[in-house]
């Protein structure tokens, strides 16, 4: 809807289906870039007629991106927070938009180093409602270490690694992508940039 989004299309369809079935009140996203993912999330809440806000956090919201996001028709459903997603004051600012009883989905798409994602997982997991998800995107880095523009360190320094370590330390979260609701093929694996990304809160 008018803003660039930096995701693989299949992940967006899977996300759309997950959001539809979850019906969150608030979606918190780290990593705004051009605002495409914020606008997509807001469009889903609007289309469902359910959900209040999409809260975006980015260490740098470039002025032309801010201007375009603020001018978007869906901006009334979007809040922008500028700062390091793991800084306690920024996490508190994001959390301040959540009301008691809200169903909350959190999507992490900022700095993709294992260390940063682990810090984000620790910082945001308490906001995730049981039954909802904490999504550590872009774990595909682990399979791209040797391709052009990849880095050898990505084999272990990636969000999927962080998600696995987080799940091992937090038994209330399991790595479990949302079920495919419609599948007339024999396939059971998504073409995804988000392997081992979906941490479902069980309790
Ligand atoms: C992959 S882009 C986000 C893409 C967006 N979610 C989308 O789907 O189009 C990553 C963003 O994370 C931001 N970022 C990097 N380090 C960060 C940090 N420590 N805290 C918050 N944001 C950060 C960058 O400024 C960049 O805009």
């Amino acid at each position: 809807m008018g803003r660039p989004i930096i995701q693989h299309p299949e992940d967006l369809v899977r996300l759309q289906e997950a959001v539809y079935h979850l019906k969150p009140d608030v979606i918190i996203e780290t990593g705004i870039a051009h605002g495409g993912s914020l606008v997509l999330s807001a469009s889903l809440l609007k289309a469902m007629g359910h959900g209040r806000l999409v809260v975006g956090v980015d260490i740098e919201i470039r002025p032309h991106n801010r201007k375009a996001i603020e001018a978007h028709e869906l901006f009334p459903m979007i809040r922008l927070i500028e700062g390091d997603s793991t800084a306690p004051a920024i996490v508190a600012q994001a959390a301040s938009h959540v009301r008691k009883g809200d169903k909350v989905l959190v999507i992490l798409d900022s700095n993709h180093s294992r260390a940063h994602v682990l810090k984000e997982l620790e910082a945001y997991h308490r906001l995730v409602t049981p039954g909802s998800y904490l999504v550590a995107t872009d774990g595909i880095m682990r399979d791209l270490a040797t391709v052009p523009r990849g880095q050898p360190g990505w084999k272990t320094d990636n969000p999927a690694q962080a998600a696995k370590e987080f799940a091992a330390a937090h038994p209330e979260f399991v790595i479990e992508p949302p079920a495919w609701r419609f599948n007339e093929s024999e396939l059971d694996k998504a073409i995804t940039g988000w392997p081992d990304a979906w941490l479902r809160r069980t309790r």
Side-chain angles (χ1 to χ4, degrees), residues 31-177:
I32 295 172
H34 307 270
S37 56
L38 293 182
V39 167
L40 174 78
S41 292
S43 76
L44 297 177
L45 301 188
K46 178 96 175 173
M48 292 190 302
H50 184 105
R52 204 174 67 244
L53 274 187
V54 182
V55 180
V57 179
D58 201 294
I59 199 162
E60 184 192 6
I61 306 174
R62 297 195 178 150
H64 61 279
N65 285 330
R66 179 185 284 279
K67 201 170 158 204
I69 298 166
E70 288 180 352
H72 199 279
E73 302 92 307
L74 290 167
F75 185 64
M77 300 181 74
I78 293 173
R79 298 292 177 275
L80 300 177
I81 301 173
E82 190 160 9
D84 185 329
S85 58
T86 60
I90 296 296
V91 178
Q93 222 177 306
S96 73
H97 291 292
V98 176
R99 295 182 193 153
K100 201 167 183 282
D102 276 348
K103 198 183 283 181
V104 181
L105 168 69
V106 177
I107 303 171
L108 306 175
D109 188 30
S110 70
N111 173 328
H112 294 310
S113 71
R114 169 190 161 276
H116 186 80
V117 178
L118 262 176
K119 268 172 96 175
E120 285 188 322
L121 290 166
E122 290 296 343
Y124 290 90
H125 77 274
R126 285 181 196 83
L127 297 174
V128 176
T129 325
S132 183
Y133 295 90
L134 179 53
V135 191
T137 68
D138 283 1
I140 194 67
M141 282 167 65
R142 72 180 181 199
D143 299 320
L144 301 178
T146 57
V147 306
R149 293 171 64 197
Q151 294 171 21
W154 287 1
K155 242 182 161 39
T156 51
D157 190 7
N158 63 63
Q161 179 68 28
K164 281 188 197 166
E165 290 177 31
F166 175 83
H170 293 267
E172 74 275 28
F173 283 89
V174 290
I175 294 182
E176 186 187 288

